[in-house]
Amino acid sequence: MDTRTRVFVSYSRKDAEFLSWLAQGLRDRGLLVDYDRSTEDPNSVTTGISAEDAWWTRLEEMITAAEVIVFVVSPDSARSRVCDEEIAFAQGLGKRIIPVLWRPIDFDTAPPRLSTLNIKISFATPDSDRLTASLQELVTSIHTDVRWFRTAALLSAAARRWDASGRPADRLLRGVELREAEAWAARRPSSAPRHPDILLEFLAESRGAEDERATLAAIEQARYHELIEILRPFLEAEIKLRERLPESNHWGVAKEMQQELMLLQSILYTHHRWHPEEAVFVSHTGAAEGYAEIFRFPCCGKISWEYRSAGPSEPPSQLRADGCKDLPEAARREGRERMNPFTSQLVARYWRTVNPERNASEDTDD
């Protein structure tokens, strides 16, 4: 990957001789120079416009990819409709534009976009020492906070792709990527243009989607824990009962009983273990082995025989006693006694069924 600072040069073709000198001088100083007739890349893959490119579309791509735009000011570029459109497109992306004077113009009659640019670097002199000094001044200006402007180029391109593809949610920034982009936006140098509207909308939509994901995750977690607390008495009673059942002599049935017990334990996070990757279907067994669907966890290679699965589309729970990793501390949760515990009629009836000798006074009336 070419790590040189990328510069796009907007110019009139009547200034092609000066452009060649300028482009070579910038290349000699370590910059990647791009313009319509660039010969740095003979195949016009990374720079320039190839014979098969849609001309204006390719120009937009070149301007979008550039970190800095250099505009060669002359009477011909001032009259050029294409140069004016290049400036407009670059300004719309929030690009930093550095105008350099090659041939004097009448600024009173210059197009509005050009007249608003601050021209401080001039090459309109025959003095070779002065030309070299101006070239160095331009290079210094280009390198000013280049990392900030490089990020600007990348984010502007991402925002433009998001907009061009119909603003889909899956193209938005998220997580660390979003936080870094927001921090970058807050560090805008005073020399940089204001952020373009499309970029601000891109960041705002990304933040909104991220906040919504976090809110939904918190709601789902709270809802899950509330349900588990209500169901805990029933699940604990079921676990105790299954732990007392004698093991079957049939291998498949015994395996199925073990799995059902482990599933109940996993719902209560009893073992604090899990498989971080979802299991994939491998094959199935026949009657002799109990009609099981066989899955494999890619994270560790663990094989699981599932007797309650509906087939390949219903993989087993990833929260399991045989999980290959510990649950993160934030996901662990122990049962707790409530000050006013929920009393389940179902649990009471269940206990009377499976444990008739239990003191009836402990049960609630139907």
Side-chain angles (χ1 to χ4, degrees), residues 115-315:
S115 63
T116 60
L117 299 178
N118 183 25
I119 303 177
K120 297 178 63 177
I121 302 174
S122 175
F123 292 90
T125 174
D127 184 87
S128 59
D129 290 339
R130 182 58 203 157
L131 286 173
T132 301
S134 294
L135 182 59
Q136 187 55 50
E137 185 180 355
L138 174 58
V139 171
T140 300
S141 182
I142 290 172
H143 280 305
T144 301
D145 202 359
V146 69
R147 283 182 291 182
W148 190 93
F149 288 101
R150 181 173 292 140
T151 301
L154 294 173
L155 287 176
S156 294
R160 188 163 173 261
R161 288 193 299 270
W162 167 71
D163 184 59
S165 57
R167 303 193 169 196
D170 58 0
R171 281 190 178 273
L172 293 171
L173 303 177
R174 60 188 305 174
V176 174
E177 193 177 43
L178 173 59
R179 293 194 294 274
E180 290 179 347
E182 290 173 328
W184 164 85
R187 295 195 309 270
R188 182 173 69 88
S190 58
S191 61
R194 65 176 294 275
H195 297 308
D197 290 342
I198 185 62
L199 178 55
L200 293 176
E201 291 170 13
F202 180 57
L203 293 177
E205 289 285 337
S206 296
R207 170 47 57 195
E210 186 79 348
D211 290 345
E212 183 178 11
R213 276 192 296 270
T215 299
L216 290 175
I219 290 171
E220 289 300 320
Q221 185 180 47
R223 177 181 294 159
Y224 173 81
H225 289 316
E226 287 177 353
L227 290 173
I228 288 300
E229 288 304 316
I230 292 173
L231 293 173
R232 182 176 292 278
F234 185 88
L235 294 171
E236 289 176 341
E238 182 73 13
I239 289 173
K240 290 178 182 178
L241 172 63
R242 288 179 179 271
E243 287 176 338
R244 294 202 305 265
L245 291 176
E247 184 173 324
S248 173
N249 293 325
H250 189 286
W251 182 87
V253 174
K255 189 75 173 176
E256 181 178 0
M257 292 172 65
Q258 292 171 7
Q259 281 196 350
E260 290 181 346
L261 176 59
M262 185 169 61
L263 176 60
L264 290 167
Q265 292 169 333
S266 71
I267 293 174
L268 295 179
Y269 289 174
T270 302
H271 299 289
H272 291 157
R273 300 283 293 178
W274 78 312
H275 292 288
E277 294 185 50
E278 186 177 89
V280 295
F281 177 76
V282 176
S283 63
H284 56 80
T285 65
E289 295 169 310
Y291 292 110
E293 307 290 345
I294 301 178
F295 290 85
R296 176 182 176 276
F297 287 99
C299 45
C300 61
K302 177 73 177 181
I303 298 296
S304 177
W305 292 46
E306 296 297 318
Y307 295 89
R308 299 299 187 193
S309 172
S313 62
E314 190 178 296

Side-chain angles (χ1 to χ4, degrees), residues 316-333:
S317 170
Q318 292 169 239
L319 295 164
R320 302 162 61 91
D322 63 0
C324 59
K325 287 192 175 181
D326 289 330
L327 280 178
E329 287 292 336
R332 299 186 183 191
R333 187 176 177 86

Side-chain angles (χ1 to χ4, degrees), residues 306-361:
E306 296 297 318
Y307 295 89
R308 299 299 187 193
S309 172
S313 62
E314 190 178 296
S317 170
Q318 292 169 239
L319 295 164
R320 302 162 61 91
D322 63 0
C324 59
K325 287 192 175 181
D326 289 330
L327 280 178
E329 287 292 336
R332 299 186 183 191
R333 187 176 177 86
E334 301 289 348
R336 66 180 188 273
E337 289 293 330
R338 290 173 174 256
M339 295 296 293
N340 184 20
F342 174 81
T343 301
S344 170
Q345 295 293 317
L346 287 176
V347 172
R349 184 180 301 170
Y350 175 82
W351 271 118
R352 285 199 300 274
T353 302
V354 301
N355 197 4
E357 69 277 9
R358 187 174 180 181
N359 191 334
S361 64

